[in-house]
Amino acid sequence: MTAQEISPGLVIRGITPPLNLHDFRLITFDMDSTLINIECVDEIADAAGRKAEVAAITEAAMRGEIADYKESLRQRVALLRGVSVASMEAVYATRLQLNPGAAELVAACKQAGLKVLLVSGGFTFFTDRIRDRLGIDFTRSNMLEVQDGLLTGRMVDQPWGDICDGDEKRKMLLETCAKLGIQPRQAIAVGDGANDLPMMGSAGLSVAYHAKPTVREQAMVAINSGGLDRLLELMDKMSTRAVP
């Protein structure tokens, strides 16, 4: 499919007008480096003096260079052993920020009647807070095991399974569509890393946000500069007329 840059840093591929937010019923977001500005696992690792080591694994996983995402996450979480919950609170309070346009896009989607789903290979410690902060309807992410206020270096199995990887993100998107009584083509999926591709491939509209090259190349929309609310700019351009 031919890519078309309709304005600086905003690229579309394989879609034609009209395109309207009201055509969709669900928007699904990745969290780390998509809805928020950091990779939480890397920042937690900083408290253990292991940020460089963990960040290197994260970067390779997001580029799609690690085939077994679950094992890569287990390796990274093992390196977090001994980090305190207080240190995670500090990450949330001092390092984590919503990415530009995130709150505006979520609010616009909710106003248009869409439900909002947050799926993350990150952790409930952060997704629960972002859920409450933005009024998100559904979440799925991983739970870190804590004993005596310290991370054990393990994750806790949950009723749906062990680790939220790319396949689990896709499964959750499809399950949420079924719960809402809608078709996957009525869903938007927004992500930045290789583990977002399965859900992006199942959605009616896939959006890459400041993404890895392989994700940009497969997404229907690539936001390469500016904030998440540039999706609203795209909708405005494509709602009633052809893109010049």
Side-chain angles (χ1 to χ4, degrees), residues 110-121:
K110 291 170 70 70
Q111 187 173 13
L114 283 72
K115 295 295 186 182
V116 184
L117 167 63
L118 177 58
V119 286
S120 176

Side-chain angles (χ1 to χ4, degrees), residues 3-244:
Q4 179 184 3
E5 187 170 43
I6 64 169
S7 62
L10 187 60
V11 177
I12 61 173
R13 180 181 282 104
I15 54 176
T16 56
L19 186 68
N20 194 296
L21 200 57
H22 292 277
D23 295 334
F24 299 94
R25 298 286 306 282
L26 174 70
I27 186 165
T28 304
F29 291 98
D30 168 54
M31 183 177 71
D32 295 62
S33 297
T34 300
L35 205 56
I36 65 173
N37 66 320
I38 60 171
E39 294 285 338
C40 291
V41 66
D42 298 354
E43 300 307 318
I44 299 169
D46 198 20
R50 291 171 170 163
K51 182 175 181 178
E53 183 179 356
V54 170
I57 301 172
T58 300
E59 179 68 13
M62 293 303 98
R63 287 197 304 260
E65 296 168 3
I66 295 176
D68 191 340
Y69 178 87
K70 288 188 176 185
E71 183 56 32
S72 81
L73 185 60
R74 290 189 186 100
Q75 290 174 5
R76 285 175 282 165
V77 169
L79 294 171
L80 306 181
R81 185 173 183 270
V83 173
S84 68
V85 172
S87 293
M88 292 200 295
E89 291 280 6
V91 169
Y92 180 76
T94 65
R95 302 190 186 189
L96 185 153
Q97 297 177 12
L98 295 175
N99 268 329
E104 291 82 358
L105 178 56
V106 170
C109 288
K110 291 170 70 70
Q111 187 173 13
L114 283 72
K115 295 295 186 182
V116 184
L117 167 63
L118 177 58
V119 286
S120 176
F123 310 115
T124 55
F125 183 90
F126 299 100
T127 57
D128 287 355
R129 286 162 170 77
I130 297 300
R131 175 199 64 202
D132 295 345
R133 189 166 165 180
L134 294 177
I136 289 171
D137 300 288
F138 311 103
T139 64
R140 180 153 294 178
S141 59
N142 305 302
M143 183 178 294
L144 293 167
E145 185 179 67
V146 177
Q147 291 181 358
D148 300 322
L150 302 176
L151 299 184
T152 66
R154 297 184 295 270
M155 288 171 284
V156 179
D157 286 354
Q158 299 181 71
W160 49 263
D162 55 354
I163 290 175
C164 185
D165 60 356
D167 289 340
E168 187 62 36
K169 289 185 176 191
R170 176 181 180 272
K171 178 183 171 187
M172 183 59 176
L173 182 147
L174 296 176
E175 286 180 357
T176 305
C177 287
K179 181 184 296 185
L180 296 173
I182 65 172
Q183 297 298 315
R185 67 174 180 271
Q186 296 172 281
I188 302 169
V190 187
D192 75 303
N195 64 329
D196 297 316
L197 286 172
M199 72 169 182
M200 291 171 70
S202 296
L205 183 67
S206 55
V207 181
Y209 179 71
H210 293 244
K212 304 305 179 189
T214 186
V215 181
R216 292 199 306 267
E217 291 161 8
Q218 295 183 53
M220 299 166 73
V221 178
I223 301 171
N224 300 324
S225 64
L228 279 163
D229 54 347
R230 294 204 73 188
L231 183 59
L232 302 176
E233 174 190 335
L234 172 67
M235 295 287 186
D236 183 59
K237 284 179 178 292
M238 300 190 70
S239 60
T240 57
R241 56 184 174 83
V243 175

